Amino acid sequence: DFKVILYFPLRDGTVGSATDLKGLLSYYESGCDIASVKTWLSGRRGKDVLLVFDGADEAKDLLSEKSQSVLLQLLKARLLPEASIILASRPGVCPDLQDHCSTFYEIRGFDSEAIKVFVKSFFKDNPPKIKEMMTALKEQPYLMQGAYVPMNLFIFCSIYKDGQSSFPPTITSCYSNYASQVLLRECKKEGRKCHINPDLSGLPRDLTQLLAGLGLLAFEGLTANPTSFIFPKSTIQRIFPSLGNGEISDSFFKGLLQVHAGKKGYSSTSTFSFSHATLQEFLAAFHLQLLPEKKQIKFWKENLENASFAIVFRFFAGLTSLSSNGLVEQLVRPYSVEPQKGILSTNQSVFSTPTASLSIPAVCDYFNPHLLFLFHALYESQNRQLTRDIVKHLNNIIEFNIYLSPFDEM
């Protein structure tokens, strides 16, 4: 039994930037006497206290040995050494967590039975859809693996609910389809008639501007140091100046950004976040594909092998089909024995000659996970010519010595 249980979402700026106990407790500043609580906790050395930190995957930098974060100090028992700590995360950061945990439980998402239960519940008012959807999902193993992630399964159900008899082929197209449905639903609520394509092309001007702004917000958050998943009102007003200084309604964002009341209610300072980190990654990729090609190439030249942007790159590949010659050169750069001399026309091999020298490794591990990113990007891009050209250079046997999260197994 614990005398005190304290919950801290790591995506919150106050929690993520805290370097001492006082800074951490300021998350509760409107509900307690911070100085008294700090004294009580320190005096007990954390005994009979449970600290729950949520969203470690959204704050990976806080686990770095160079970090001055209060989280790392607590995990290393430099603060409150007798406290019990629960640290929750999406699967992607699990290997790092194991270095700091004495007991490790992994909930990889839904199992096959939980998927059936969720689908049955979602379509309880339309039972025939249950079997139809499960059959359609099993016909696409790539998506079926993704269904073990609850957010993905919700999106799949939402897509199928809208009269679909089959699924889009990629995760990118599923997220695009989902975003189009959310926008259409919100427009209907406003009594507005408009057509929204599942791939988000040809949107009305105001919706195009909304997605561009949300994409910029998502991108800025993911590239911030530390990464930001919760945004203050001032940031929203900067990106969307038309909102002015008044109260901001969540209806403005058409269901794609959530408004959170301040600790003293909606009349106080509000914060904003996307419903899920993966949706933020999708919108960040949406922003990237709107940039001039030179800026896209510069960003991926610096971040292509950064695991933090692996899912962003997968979405980016799906949105752009990897049709840019310059981006293809960046994609194969880690394997190029000779400098690329330029890419030929789309009807020819993507390499400078049919015998261009590439050395693609036969092992994929933590030290070089790029091969995994490459495979995902190729599938999401649906660029068959590029895929054929790269496959020719693969080894007959490839060994994966790497932890695979549900996202990696898709």
Side-chain angles (χ1 to χ4, degrees):
D1 293 336
F2 297 101
K3 295 184 181 298
V4 174
I5 299 176
L6 296 174
Y7 170 80
F8 299 101
L10 288 169
R11 60 162 47 195
D12 184 89
T14 301
V15 176
S17 62
T19 56
D20 56 28
L21 198 53
K22 181 179 178 181
L24 179 66
L25 291 172
S26 65
Y27 175 71
Y28 289 101
E29 61 183 345
S30 63
C32 67
D33 181 343
I34 294 176
S36 297
V37 174
K38 177 179 179 296
T39 300
W40 185 85
L41 290 173
S42 300
R44 299 181 62 84
R45 294 169 53 85
K47 184 179 179 181
D48 299 325
V49 174
L50 173 63
L51 305 176
V52 181
F53 292 93
D54 187 23
D57 57 294
E58 299 173 1
K60 296 178 184 178
D61 294 340
L62 300 183
L63 296 173
S64 166
E65 290 297 329
K66 298 179 181 179
S67 171
Q68 300 297 315
S69 71
V70 68
L71 173 62
L72 190 63
Q73 295 177 55
L74 287 164
L75 290 173
K76 289 183 173 294
R78 296 171 187 163
L79 290 175
L80 308 183
E82 295 185 43
S84 298
I85 299 174
I86 293 178
L87 190 56
S89 168
R90 283 192 300 173
V93 77
C94 286
D96 296 329
L97 294 184
Q98 293 182 70
D99 295 335
H100 301 287
C101 301
S102 57
T103 304
F104 184 80
Y105 295 95
E106 182 179 3
I107 302 172
R108 292 176 61 83
F110 289 154
D111 59 15
S112 57
E113 189 59 34
I115 290 176
K116 294 176 184 176
V117 171
F118 184 92
V119 173
K120 286 179 180 178
S121 176
F122 193 95
F123 292 108
K124 61 184 178 182
D125 297 328
N126 190 2
K129 278 283 187 181
I130 299 171
K131 185 176 180 180
E132 290 176 15
M133 180 186 155
M134 290 302 300
T135 300
L137 199 55
K138 289 176 181 178
E139 289 174 353
Q140 293 185 248
Y142 182 74
L143 296 184
M144 187 62 192
Q145 288 289 348
Y148 292 89
V149 178
M151 178 65 179
N152 284 351
L153 183 58
F154 171 75
I155 287 177
F156 297 158
C157 288
S158 299
I159 292 172
Y160 210 78
K161 182 181 179 181
D162 194 36
Q164 294 274 358
S165 58
S166 61
F167 287 102
T170 66
I171 293 295
T172 304
S173 52
C174 285
Y175 270 74
S176 295
N177 195 307
Y178 171 71
S180 71
Q181 286 188 16
V182 172
L183 290 172
L184 185 60
R185 180 192 67 205
E186 295 302 311
C187 286
K188 286 180 177 179
K189 285 183 181 179
E190 299 169 0
R192 176 180 175 182
K193 294 182 179 180
C194 62
H195 175 74
I196 299 179
N197 294 320
D199 63 356
L200 300 175
S201 63
L203 289 172
R205 183 179 178 183
D206 64 316
L207 296 184
T208 299
Q209 292 174 338
L210 174 64
L211 282 183
L214 291 175
L216 175 59
L217 179 68
F219 179 78
E220 286 187 355
L222 293 179
T223 53
N225 187 15
T227 307
S228 178
F229 294 91
I230 291 184
F231 306 93
K233 186 176 181 180
S234 58
T235 299
I236 303 300
Q237 291 170 324
R238 172 175 58 81
I239 292 179
F240 299 99
S242 63
L243 288 172
N245 296 319
E247 185 176 333
I248 300 176
S249 169
D250 57 358
S251 62
F252 176 84
F253 304 107
K254 301 291 187 290
L256 295 176
L257 189 71
Q258 297 179 335
V259 181
H260 306 282
K263 293 175 183 176
K264 297 181 181 179
Y266 279 98
S267 60
S268 62
T269 302
S270 299
T271 56
F272 304 78
S273 72
F274 296 97
S275 60
H276 195 275
T278 312
L279 179 59
Q280 183 171 344
E281 289 165 325
F282 170 77
L283 288 167
F286 187 88
H287 167 76
L288 276 166
Q289 57 105 22
L290 295 177
L291 295 178
E293 184 176 320
K294 287 185 178 179
K295 290 188 176 182
Q296 294 177 14
I297 292 172
K298 181 178 184 298
F299 177 81
W300 288 119
K301 185 175 182 179
E302 297 170 353
N303 294 286
L304 190 60
E305 297 181 62
N306 185 341
S308 297
F309 293 102
I311 295 176
V312 176
F313 183 61
R314 191 183 310 187
F315 283 134
F316 178 82
L319 291 168
T320 63
S321 300
L322 294 177
S323 57
S324 161
N325 290 342
L327 286 168
V328 170
E329 290 179 354
Q330 289 303 316
L331 183 63
V332 301
R333 178 172 52 86
Y335 312 121
S336 298
V337 176
E338 299 174 355
Q340 292 289 315
K341 298 179 181 179
I343 306 301
L344 299 182
S345 70
T346 54
N347 294 323
Q348 296 173 288
S349 169
V350 296
F351 305 112
S352 54
T353 68
T355 58
S357 189
L358 285 182
S359 178
I360 298 180
V363 177
C364 180
D365 54 28
Y366 289 116
F367 302 103
N368 184 18
H370 185 270
L371 192 59
L372 184 64
F373 306 162
L374 172 66
F375 287 166
H376 283 312
L378 289 175
Y379 186 85
E380 287 293 325
S381 74
Q382 297 287 287
N383 188 328
R384 295 186 179 184
Q385 179 63 55
L386 175 61
T387 302
R388 281 195 293 266
D389 284 322
I390 290 181
V391 165
K392 289 188 299 186
H393 297 265
L394 293 178
N395 292 276
N396 291 332
I397 298 176
I398 298 176
E399 180 180 349
F400 283 84
N401 296 321
I402 190 169
Y403 175 92
L404 296 180
S405 74
F407 270 111
D408 296 324
E409 294 170 0
M410 289 190 291

